[in-house]
Amino acid sequence: ASLMSMIYALGNVSGAHFNPAVTVAILGSGRLGAGKAVGHMVSQCLGGAVAALAYHQIYASSMASKDGSYFAKGKPTSLSLAPGEGYTLVQAMWVECFFTFV
C-alpha cells in the first residue's frame, strides 16, 4: 500500500523507480531500455546499502547489547537489523531480494 501511494504521488515526477522490482516491471512493459534499467537497479541497490550503513552508524550503539553482539539473551535487540538467531546475513539478503520481487 505504501509503495502504491508513492507511485501515485511521485510517479509522474520520478518515473516511479522506487526499487528494483518496479524497475523490472517498467522494463517488462517496454517503457524502459535494458541499459537504463540496469543503471537504475544498480543505483537503487547502492542507495539501499548506503542507507543501511548510515542507519547502522546512527543507531549501532543503541542496538548492541553489553557483550557487543546484536542479540540479548538470543533475541535481537531493539531496532536490530541483524537476522534472527540461526540465520546468516547472506540468507537474510536472499530472502529480502526474493520478497522484493514477489
Side-chain angles (χ1 to χ4, degrees):
S2 63
L3 178 61
M4 204 61 188
S5 298
M6 291 180 352
I7 289 170
Y8 279 119
L10 301 170
N12 63 343
V13 176
S14 69
H17 296 273
F18 294 110
N19 65 37
V22 174
T23 302
V24 168
I26 294 170
L27 173 66
S29 73
R31 293 183 290 164
L32 184 67
K36 277 196 167 190
V38 169
H40 280 287
M41 289 187 282
V42 167
S43 298
Q44 291 159 345
C45 291
L46 287 174
V50 169
L53 289 171
Y55 179 93
H56 184 270
Q57 290 300 313
I58 293 168
Y59 293 106
S61 62
S62 66
M63 291 186 322
S65 60
K66 291 180 181 160
D67 65 358
S69 72
Y70 289 96
F71 295 94
K73 297 181 183 172
K75 296 181 181 175
T77 57
S78 178
L79 297 174
S80 177
L81 292 177
E85 189 171 10
Y87 298 96
T88 67
L89 287 172
V90 173
Q91 289 172 319
M93 179 197 70
W94 284 113
V95 167
E96 186 68 28
C97 289
F98 173 76
F99 282 111
T100 295
F101 283 95
V102 171

